[in-house]
Amino acid sequence: MKDLTVKFDLSDDRYITAVRLVAGAVCTLAETDIEAMDDFKVCVTESLIMLKNCGNRETEIKFSCEGGVSAEVTGLGGQLHEGDTDMSATLISALLSGVDIVKTGDAVTKLVLRL
């Protein structure tokens, strides 16, 4: 597997649960240990919360397990605004060594997570 892309509306929280399963599957394909897998799943979930809190309507997540596990989590559409992201950003930074957070103005619009 090279890449797997998932796109959905952030207003339906059921998709967040499904994406956690996808993140775990990608980690399994890359033979990631269980602790790192759990950390990655938490970070993907927190990324989605950050995007939703900043007014993003949809998300597109590009997972990859070539050269290590990664997820590019991009917000799409909506009315962007500054959102409550501090706690999620702190948690993600504590769990992963590779994190890039992109903002448009004060709103988070993209996160790149690398395990």
Side-chain angles (χ1 to χ4, degrees):
M1 181 186 105
K2 291 186 180 184
D3 296 321
L4 173 67
T5 302
V6 178
K7 183 177 177 181
F8 63 93
D9 191 312
L10 286 166
S11 67
D12 191 341
D13 291 337
R14 294 176 296 177
Y15 288 115
I16 293 175
T17 302
V19 167
R20 285 180 58 86
L21 295 172
V22 172
V26 170
C27 288
T28 299
L29 288 171
E31 300 179 2
T32 304
D33 68 72
I34 192 85
E35 188 173 311
M37 180 189 307
D38 286 341
D39 290 348
F40 189 71
K41 292 189 306 185
V42 166
C43 291
V44 169
T45 302
E46 291 297 322
S47 297
L48 296 171
I49 291 168
M50 289 174 72
L51 292 176
K52 187 174 181 178
N53 285 349
C54 288
N56 293 276
R57 188 180 67 244
E58 296 180 302
T59 187
E60 181 175 277
I61 309 167
K62 182 179 175 184
F63 291 99
S64 179
C65 61
E66 279 201 16
V69 176
S70 67
E72 187 175 296
V73 187
T74 305
L76 305 168
Q79 296 293 321
L80 298 180
H81 55 82
E82 181 178 12
D84 183 14
T85 61
D86 291 343
M87 188 178 298
S88 292
T90 300
L91 180 58
I92 291 169
S93 295
L95 294 175
L96 296 181
S97 58
V99 179
D100 296 319
I101 298 175
V102 177
K103 291 184 175 186
T104 300
D106 291 326
V108 175
T109 54
K110 181 177 182 179
L111 297 96
V112 180
L113 311 172
R114 291 175 298 283
L115 194 56

